[in-house]
Amino acid sequence: MGATEPVVERERKEREEEGEEEGNERKLEEGERDVETGEVLQPPGTVKEKAAAVESNGNIGDDRREHFHVSMLQRLNPTNPLRIAINTNARVATPSPSQTSLPRSTPTPQQPSLTTLNSRRYTNKISLFLFVVHMVLAIGLVCFLLFKGIQGLIVASDAIKRKEKRILQYYLPQVEAASLLSITLAFTWQKAIRVWPAIMVHVILWSSFFLTLSAGILLICFQRPTTDGVGVCLIAFAIGNGLYACWVNQRIGFCTKILKKSLEPVPKFGDLNQPTYWMLGVGFLWMSLWILAVVGALNFYYPPLVIIALVLSLAWTAEVMRNVVNLTVSRVISLYYLRGMQASTQFCFQRAMSRNLGSACLGSVFVPSIEALRIVARGLNLLEGEDEFMFSCAHCCLHVMQSIFRYGNGWAFVQIAAYGKGFVQASQDTWAGFERQEIDAIVDSDITSSLCFLTGVCSGSICVIVVAAWTYSVYRPFTATISLLAFFIGYLMTRIAMALPHACVSCYYVCYAENPDNRLFDNTIRDRLNYIKSGREVVVPTPRVAARRTRM
């Protein structure tokens, strides 16, 4: 019996302390004076405030705080063990099942998933379906023409056999050489731009002029009607290229700064060029089969129409491959800017090849067409006279092209890659962001896309010079045809490789428009915008819809 008395005594003391604690709590809830401090305390509204009020009292020991928590746990609601009754006198009302289900049944307005970076829906499904159908038909046509080519070598008459053997002997080697040369030039241009961006802007602008002019003069020197026509076209393009290089001279400094700044994240991703390798490899294999299909088309009905269809198919396919690289790089770089993430290039490449492929197909058709028509409209405004009736519709045409440009532009690929938007919606949102940050004039005057285009022209001109001289020395009648084809191949292959720097610059502008205060951005765009607003420079001497601007 004596051993049990201390236990009973300790239990009695604990009950008394708990009773005193509950009394103190009721006094605190009723606004009474604290016995230990003499201060009038307001009843706390939550459990956290109650605990903070008790712990803030310096005279309460650790053992009393422990008893306080024990007393709270002992007053659990018997109907709901997870509900703590703060005040024993006022029971917390438990909501009825009808009340709990009401918020669930009430639809809440869904915000647009602008911040969703992991959208799983397929964009522009109709364009994706059309491209898949086109590829099935193109593969079937190429296989059929390959069969016709082999049939011509085996079963056809002697005249057709000699013709095809002559084509394979004097046509196929030059075109294959042009493909390999264009791939080499593509990686050379890309590497040079990444290493020496400040120098390469000037080199590309003037190299395209001299190389195109040299290719045109070379073809004219062959003194054949077909080569003369192609040479005149190249010389005319070279003259326009030289005028453009002089015209954009004032934009080169800012373009160099943006290009250098936008390429800074590239070394952080060692495998960022892998999609380019894959696309160029697939492009070379498809180009080889395509060339053999052109040979087989000569043994089929209406060879010119078949060859034109093959050329259009190749152009669309190569442009889609370029935009796949563009989407891959855009997602990697945009996630780095927007969230500070180092995304997997392989995952982004798989996403571009599946979920965003429809947008790449749609943009591959509309972006080059809209850009070409926009250049024509601006050219008409530059040539516009005061009272000339011929150019009276120039402003109307430019206004139409500016409106269409809002619904389809190359900057949209960044938001397509980042947020999984459709091509039209991404174009609208991107341009609206530019206007919101008042950088639309700066973006509109950017010459990065022109530099990528002129890089393809440089590669095409080099291929023309090499292949034309080779073909003229072995079989002159094929000189003009192979020169055109070599220029086309060199341009397409180089544009695929140049998608990486183009995507980096696009991400820099689009992500800046979304968050100008990001620490990854410097004051380059902000200083340029302030410089323009001060009236010290006219950023866009190009004709625009709003008002005519005088060049300074």
Side-chain angles (χ1 to χ4, degrees):
M1 295 295 293
T4 59
E5 291 180 356
V7 177
V8 174
E9 183 68 17
R10 284 198 300 269
E11 292 179 352
R12 183 179 60 80
K13 290 182 179 180
E14 288 178 359
R15 287 196 296 270
E16 291 177 357
E17 290 176 356
E18 290 176 3
E20 293 175 359
E21 192 67 34
E22 292 177 359
N24 291 332
E25 290 174 8
R26 286 195 295 270
K27 290 180 181 180
L28 289 174
E29 292 173 355
E30 295 172 357
E32 297 180 357
R33 291 184 179 273
D34 190 358
V35 178
E36 298 181 359
T37 60
E39 296 178 356
V40 178
L41 300 178
Q42 298 296 329
T46 60
V47 176
K48 292 182 179 180
E49 294 177 357
K50 192 178 193 62
V54 175
E55 290 178 358
S56 62
N57 192 345
N59 297 327
I60 298 178
D62 294 337
D63 55 344
R64 298 193 60 185
R65 283 198 297 269
E66 181 178 358
H67 288 300
F68 168 71
H69 290 296
V70 171
S71 63
M72 290 177 61
L73 293 177
Q74 288 178 351
R75 294 195 308 274
L76 291 176
N77 194 330
T79 61
N80 188 356
L82 296 180
R83 185 181 303 279
I84 299 177
I86 299 176
N87 190 354
T88 56
N89 297 327
R91 178 172 295 181
V92 178
T94 303
S96 62
S98 61
Q99 293 177 347
T100 56
S101 61
L102 182 61
R104 297 179 183 178
S105 61
T106 304
T108 57
Q110 297 292 332
Q111 297 294 333
S113 58
L114 297 179
T115 57
T116 301
L117 298 177
N118 195 23
S119 175
R120 297 184 179 276
R121 69 184 186 91
Y122 284 81
T123 59
N124 300 109
K125 297 178 182 179
I126 298 177
S127 301
L128 178 60
F129 174 76
L130 293 177
F131 180 75
V132 171
V133 172
H134 150 262
M135 286 304 302
V136 171
L137 295 177
I139 293 173
L141 180 60
V142 168
C143 293
F144 175 75
L145 294 177
L146 287 175
F147 168 75
K148 295 295 291 185
I150 296 173
Q151 186 181 29
L153 289 174
I154 298 175
V155 184
S157 61
D158 294 338
I160 296 178
K161 289 181 180 179
R162 286 194 301 268
K163 181 181 178 180
E164 288 202 5
K165 288 180 180 179
R166 185 169 59 247
I167 292 174
L168 293 176
Q169 183 178 359
Y170 302 116
Y171 178 86
L172 185 62
Q174 289 91 321
V175 179
E176 291 289 341
S179 301
L180 293 175
L181 179 60
S182 62
I183 293 176
T184 304
L185 291 173
F187 285 116
T188 303
W189 286 116
Q190 189 205 97
K191 183 65 175 179
I193 289 177
R194 290 169 54 186
V195 176
W196 307 294
I199 300 174
M200 292 307 298
V201 173
H202 298 273
V203 170
I204 291 172
L205 286 174
W206 292 107
S207 294
S208 59
F209 167 72
F210 287 111
L211 289 173
T212 309
L213 184 64
S214 302
I217 294 174
L218 177 64
L219 292 176
I220 291 178
C221 291
F222 293 152
Q223 296 182 356
R224 297 181 61 87
T226 53
T227 57
D228 289 345
V230 178
V232 169
C233 293
L234 290 177
I235 291 175
F237 182 84
I239 294 173
N241 190 6
L243 295 175
Y244 177 79
C246 297
W247 183 38
V248 299
N249 186 47
Q250 58 181 349
R251 307 181 189 176
I252 294 177
F254 180 73
C255 175
T256 302
K257 293 180 182 179
I258 292 295
L259 186 60
K260 185 184 300 183
K261 183 65 178 177
S262 61
L263 290 174
E264 288 181 358
V266 175
K268 300 179 183 295
F269 306 92
D271 57 346
L272 195 59
N273 241 345
Q274 284 189 2
T276 307
Y277 301 149
W278 282 104
M279 290 295 102
L280 287 178
V282 173
F284 176 75
L285 295 176
W286 179 248
M287 194 77 66
S288 302
L289 296 176
W290 183 86
I291 294 166
L292 295 175
V294 172
V295 177
L298 299 177
N299 295 329
F300 194 56
Y301 301 103
Y302 308 108
L305 295 179
V306 175
I307 293 175
I308 290 174
L310 289 174
V311 169
L312 294 177
S313 174
L314 178 63
W316 191 16
T317 305
E319 191 70 13
V320 169
M321 290 192 292
R322 181 178 76 88
N323 286 326
V324 166
V325 179
N326 192 349
L327 287 171
T328 304
V329 178
S330 295
R331 181 165 179 83
V332 173
I333 301 299
S334 62
L335 291 181
Y336 172 76
Y337 282 136
L338 297 175
R339 297 293 184 270
M341 300 168 54
Q342 289 197 351
S344 171
T345 304
Q346 182 179 0
F347 174 77
C348 296
F349 179 61
Q350 294 173 357
R351 184 184 180 88
M353 285 291 294
S354 57
R355 304 186 186 279
N356 297 332
L357 185 59
S359 298
C361 300
L362 183 62
S364 300
V365 175
F366 283 101
V367 171
S369 304
I370 293 173
E371 288 288 349
L373 294 175
R374 198 160 173 250
I375 291 172
V376 172
R378 285 183 165 182
L380 291 176
N381 279 264
L382 286 175
L383 298 175
E384 179 190 5
E386 294 295 333
D387 298 321
E388 295 181 7
F389 178 76
M390 184 182 299
F391 302 103
S392 60
C393 296
H395 281 301
C396 180
C397 294
L398 184 59
H399 181 76
V400 171
M401 294 313 304
Q402 290 290 110
S403 301
I404 295 175
F405 185 74
R406 296 176 182 272
Y407 295 92
N409 53 74
W411 310 101
F413 290 110
V414 178
Q415 291 213 9
I416 293 171
Y419 302 125
K421 299 180 181 179
F423 177 73
V424 177
Q425 184 65 38
S427 300
Q428 293 176 325
D429 295 344
T430 302
W431 199 255
F434 291 156
E435 291 179 340
R436 184 171 57 252
Q437 299 297 335
E438 300 180 348
I439 62 172
D440 54 324
I442 298 177
V443 173
D444 198 22
S445 63
D446 185 75
I447 62 173
T448 304
S449 59
S450 300
L451 289 175
C452 296
F453 170 77
L454 294 178
T455 306
V457 171
C458 289
S459 297
S461 300
I462 294 174
C463 292
V464 168
I465 293 173
V466 174
V467 171
W470 181 4
T471 307
Y472 185 78
S473 62
V474 295
Y475 193 74
R476 296 181 181 181
F478 287 168
T479 304
T481 304
I482 294 181
S483 298
L484 284 174
L485 188 57
F487 184 87
F488 188 59
I489 293 173
Y491 170 79
L492 293 179
M493 291 296 186
T494 303
R495 287 305 304 271
I496 293 175
M498 291 301 296
L500 188 146
H502 191 195
C504 291
V505 174
S506 299
C507 289
Y508 192 85
Y509 279 118
V510 175
C511 296
Y512 177 87
E514 292 197 15
N515 185 13
D517 298 327
N518 194 329
R519 60 181 180 84
L520 297 175
F521 301 122
D522 58 3
N523 294 326
T524 303
I525 297 180
R526 188 176 292 106
D527 294 343
R528 179 72 168 179
L529 186 61
N530 294 333
Y531 190 67
I532 295 169
K533 289 181 178 180
S534 65
R536 289 176 288 177
E537 181 177 347
V538 178
V539 65
V540 184
T542 311
R544 296 175 65 86
V545 175
R548 297 181 61 86
R549 306 189 183 203
T550 58
R551 296 183 63 182
M552 298 181 63

